[in-house]
Amino acid sequence: MQFSRKIRLRPAEIEQEGLYGHCLQFYGQPPIQNISLAQFEQLAVDRLKLLKTVESLGVTFVKMSEQYQNKLRAEMAGLNFPVRADAPLQGSTEYEKRQKDHISHFILRLAYCQTEELRRWFIQQEMDLFRYRFTQLLSKQKSEFLHRNSLQYHTIEDADKKALMDKLVHSSYGSSGCSVEQQDFYKVPFQDALDLVRSRKVFLKAGYAYIPHQDIVTIVLNDFRTRLSKALALTARSLPAVQSDERLQPLLTHLSHAYVGQDYSIQKSVGKVSLEQIDSLSVRSFPPCMRHLHEALRENHHLRHGGRMQYGLFLKGVGLTLDQALQFWRSEFIRGKVDHDKFDKAYSYSIRHMFGKEGKRTDYTPYSCVKVILSNAPSQGDHHGCPFRHSDPELLKQRLQAYKVSPSGITQVLELVMGMHFQLACQKYFELTHNVEDAGFSLNHPNQYFVESQRLLTGGRELKREAEAPQRGQGPPAVKAASALPEHPSTSTEVAEDLDSFFQED
Ligand code: SF4
């Protein structure tokens, strides 16, 4: 792909190549269009939103159930991805939608080829998306798709069908309710249908599997996974060359850690939360990662720099002012081994820095779940990170018990954790602890958890500030100066790393 500020699309050329002639593709050919960096990012973010929805729906509903399909269709339509398989390509926006599908897939390949974990996640979501889209195709469109992609799955003749009738009925149609005569059967080498062979769902003869039409998606999906997996491995090999482009490198890093929602840096509640409220809020409305950090801080009167970064920025997002933050950290630290002098020298600068009052005066944003989950894993003595991702399952179970989650609730949460759906496990925890069946949002950010919790618990009312009082006998009451937060804080990785360097004091 080449990138420039100017858009130079060449539809005729692409159309000639037949890339967008079918609404679905195997993404065998990389895009050759010129797009701007802004478009590059927008396309990637939209596909990421779609894939996150695919993940979330796949855990919330039975895959391919009516609700699953309806919600996925709505999300695709909302994000302008191709929805209707029979939409005419000419004279409509369908061409642009297919183009968006094509380019955005390749951009995320670049971002998600970097580690095994990212690759696995990307392949799984792309496969689920592909399965949904393939099953929406009419029979004729499926055949056309197979033909276009040189997938040699030939249907068997009626005469063969008759000859094998008994075997086909017994091996394939026990529960489908369709007669063999009404269905096409594909004859494929058995090694292309191992999943179906393994589950004894198909008739085998002379090294060939006879796949009923309803199951052809399994074969196509296998093929899709194999191709995508190889393509990601190849992309990973050429990644150093792509990353040497200084325009792309930060974008790709940001995308693989991307959070696609609100950044929670601008809080309506700034200055409306008192330090007195934090203990009770941590129990009622903090996500487990922050509740654990709060408990560790109260217990040890200290947090190492990873914990201070994660918790400090979260509290800032919750609404603490700079003065409150200074008072909060000071009051706790001096109860441990740090005296006033040491606190002023070693810690207060970094807190001021976090609020954009020192150094480059950048106003830092709270960490998203993806950042907490994927970067800076905690080591011995650390309390930061995401409990669903970084805790031993037994420890997590104990913690959930201590948080009064029911045994059946704990089982549900642990099942999601085992499936590596950490944010969904947290969302389930939210539902269990707030006594709601459906959280009604897709969790992406610890501060989003807090906001949604407060919305539920207070019925949408603003946080009510309690009377300000000296914290644990410390100094004068907090000064209620609202910090002047810039409207558009920077979120770049470079800036976050820069801040890290100010927090090295343990
Ligand atoms: S999923 Fe997000 S909010 Fe929940 S514990 Fe993990 S990092 Fe915190």
Side-chain angles (χ1 to χ4, degrees):
M1 279 183 282
Q2 300 164 35
F3 306 97
S4 73
R5 286 275 157 205
K6 218 159 170 50
I7 310 166
R8 285 200 298 125
L9 302 177
R10 293 172 290 177
E13 191 180 321
I14 307 295
E15 214 167 306
Q16 257 182 3
E17 293 167 15
L19 259 181
Y20 303 141
H22 197 283
C23 66
L24 190 60
Q25 57 167 303
F26 253 175
Y27 309 106
Q29 214 169 313
I32 56 169
Q33 294 91 330
N34 290 327
I35 58 173
S36 69
L37 282 171
Q39 284 177 308
F40 182 95
E41 189 165 15
Q42 189 55 53
L43 290 171
V45 165
D46 282 356
R47 193 169 196 95
L48 198 50
K49 278 184 186 165
L50 179 60
L51 296 188
K52 276 172 178 283
T53 303
V54 169
E55 181 191 27
S56 167
L57 292 178
V59 179
T60 314
F61 302 103
V62 175
K63 281 182 188 172
M64 302 310 298
S65 63
E66 203 180 327
Q67 268 178 312
Y68 175 94
Q69 297 195 40
N70 289 343
K71 287 192 182 271
L72 189 46
R73 189 179 305 117
E75 181 73 6
M76 289 183 73
L79 289 169
N80 259 333
F81 282 99
V83 177
R84 280 184 49 213
D86 59 346
L89 189 58
Q90 305 294 346
S92 73
T93 56
E94 185 62 18
Y95 182 89
E96 279 141 45
K97 290 181 183 175
R98 293 183 188 182
Q99 192 176 51
K100 174 176 185 168
D101 172 43
H102 181 215
I103 300 175
S104 64
H105 169 89
F106 272 90
I107 296 175
L108 285 205
R109 270 194 195 181
L110 287 173
Y112 280 76
C113 69
Q114 303 182 45
T115 67
E116 182 57 39
E117 197 172 355
L118 290 174
R119 281 198 289 270
R120 204 178 315 128
W121 183 85
F122 181 66
I123 290 174
Q124 183 58 55
Q125 310 324 320
E126 283 286 344
M127 279 180 59
D128 284 350
L129 179 61
F130 185 91
R131 181 192 286 112
Y132 162 74
R133 295 178 67 191
F134 188 83
T135 50
Q136 302 305 303
L137 299 178
L138 301 172
S139 187
K140 186 168 154 262
Q141 293 162 335
K142 283 182 186 165
S143 306
E144 201 185 315
F145 176 82
L146 299 180
H147 177 70
R148 277 175 162 271
N149 290 283
S150 310
L151 299 172
Q152 304 297 321
Y153 308 143
H154 296 296
T155 53
I156 61 172
E157 301 290 331
D158 282 350
D160 292 339
K161 222 192 275 181
K162 266 192 192 141
L164 297 170
M165 183 69 76
D166 272 3
K167 312 272 186 202
L168 296 179
V169 167
H170 288 123
S171 61
S172 317
Y173 278 97
S175 59
S176 72
C178 301
S179 73
V180 166
E181 290 92 336
Q182 289 169 323
Q183 294 289 324
D184 279 340
F185 273 78
Y186 298 87
K187 184 179 170 184
V188 302
F190 83 97
Q191 63 270 26
D192 289 343
L194 288 181
D195 282 353
L196 293 173
V197 173
R198 195 180 302 122
S199 53
R200 296 169 188 267
K201 284 179 79 181
V202 284
F203 172 59
L204 278 177
K205 188 182 173 197
Y208 285 93
Y210 290 75
I211 317 283
H213 185 70
Q214 65 179 18
D215 284 336
I216 192 67
V217 65
T218 310
I219 315 298
V220 182
L221 263 179
N222 264 343
D223 219 326
F224 182 67
R225 175 174 43 206
T226 309
R227 291 183 194 211
L228 185 52
S229 170
K230 278 187 194 154
L232 285 171
L234 272 176
T235 313
R237 252 185 265 159
S238 53
L239 201 60
V242 179
Q243 284 179 327
S244 66
D245 186 325
E246 61 188 24
R247 300 166 306 164
L248 290 186
Q249 201 273 336
L251 267 180
L252 294 177
T253 308
H254 181 64
L255 276 173
S256 61
H257 290 75
Y259 164 62
V260 289
Q262 193 184 332
D263 67 14
Y264 292 95
S265 58
I266 305 161
Q267 281 299 309
K268 289 191 192 109
S269 56
V270 167
K272 289 186 181 163
V273 179
S274 77
L275 299 190
E276 288 280 285
Q277 289 172 291
I278 291 183
D279 282 328
S280 67
L281 284 175
S282 75
V283 175
R284 289 183 291 131
S285 289
F286 284 11
C289 53
M290 303 304 171
R291 183 171 175 179
H292 175 62
L293 280 164
H294 184 74
E295 288 165 352
L297 176 65
R298 288 291 194 224
E299 194 178 320
N300 307 320
H301 314 299
H302 189 267
L303 280 180
R304 296 174 77 180
H305 87 273
R308 294 199 300 275
M309 290 282 289
Q310 184 176 318
Y311 192 39
L313 287 169
F314 169 79
L315 287 177
K316 179 183 161 198
V318 162
L320 286 201
T321 63
L322 170 60
D323 291 315
Q324 285 178 307
L326 282 167
Q327 189 184 348
F328 174 75
W329 290 103
R330 179 195 300 275
S331 66
E332 204 55 57
F333 272 44
I334 61 165
R335 300 182 79 218
K337 293 182 186 148
V338 177
D339 59 25
H340 281 283
D341 220 31
K342 180 159 186 208
F343 183 86
D344 286 340
K345 282 193 190 128
Y347 300 102
S348 70
Y349 180 88
S350 57
I351 294 166
R352 292 175 55 75
H353 197 275
M354 193 193 285
F355 277 76
K357 302 296 178 198
E358 301 286 357
K360 289 182 187 167
R361 299 191 174 258
T362 307
D363 192 33
Y364 297 96
T365 55
Y367 292 171
S368 69
C369 293
V370 176
K371 183 166 171 71
V372 173
I373 289 169
L374 289 181
S375 56
N376 189 23
S379 51
Q380 191 75 20
D382 284 333
H383 294 281
H384 66 269
C386 169
F388 300 104
R389 169 68 181 89
H390 298 119
S391 289
D392 172 81
E394 199 44 46
L395 198 66
L396 176 61
K397 191 174 164 187
Q398 284 171 23
R399 201 173 292 166
L400 293 172
Q401 280 166 343
Y403 291 169
K404 304 214 171 359
V405 180
S406 66
S408 67
I410 293 177
T411 308
Q412 292 176 57
V413 171
L414 290 180
E415 268 170 18
L416 289 165
V417 169
M418 297 312 277
M420 305 190 51
H421 302 294
F422 309 118
Q423 285 159 256
L424 293 170
C426 189
Q427 199 165 311
K428 176 55 71 185
Y429 170 85
F430 180 98
E431 289 162 1
L432 292 165
T433 51
H434 289 76
N435 218 4
V436 288
E437 273 202 4
D438 182 356
F441 64 95
S442 179
L443 178 70
N444 281 310
H445 203 293
N447 288 82
Q448 178 194 19
Y449 183 111
F450 173 75
V451 168
E452 294 293 345
S453 170
Q454 281 295 297
R455 191 170 292 154
L456 257 181
L457 297 177
T458 64
R461 292 189 305 278
E462 278 197 346
L463 265 174
K464 196 164 170 279
R465 186 171 183 136
E466 291 167 6
E468 196 79 55
Q471 304 296 308
R472 298 175 182 245
Q474 280 314 301
V479 181
K480 296 177 191 171
S483 65
L485 298 179
E487 283 253 284
H488 301 290
S490 167
T491 57
S492 82
T493 315
E494 185 194 333
V495 167
E497 280 163 4
D498 182 41
L499 177 61
D500 268 340
S501 65
F502 287 93
F503 273 80
Q504 293 308 313
E505 177 76 33
D506 270 341

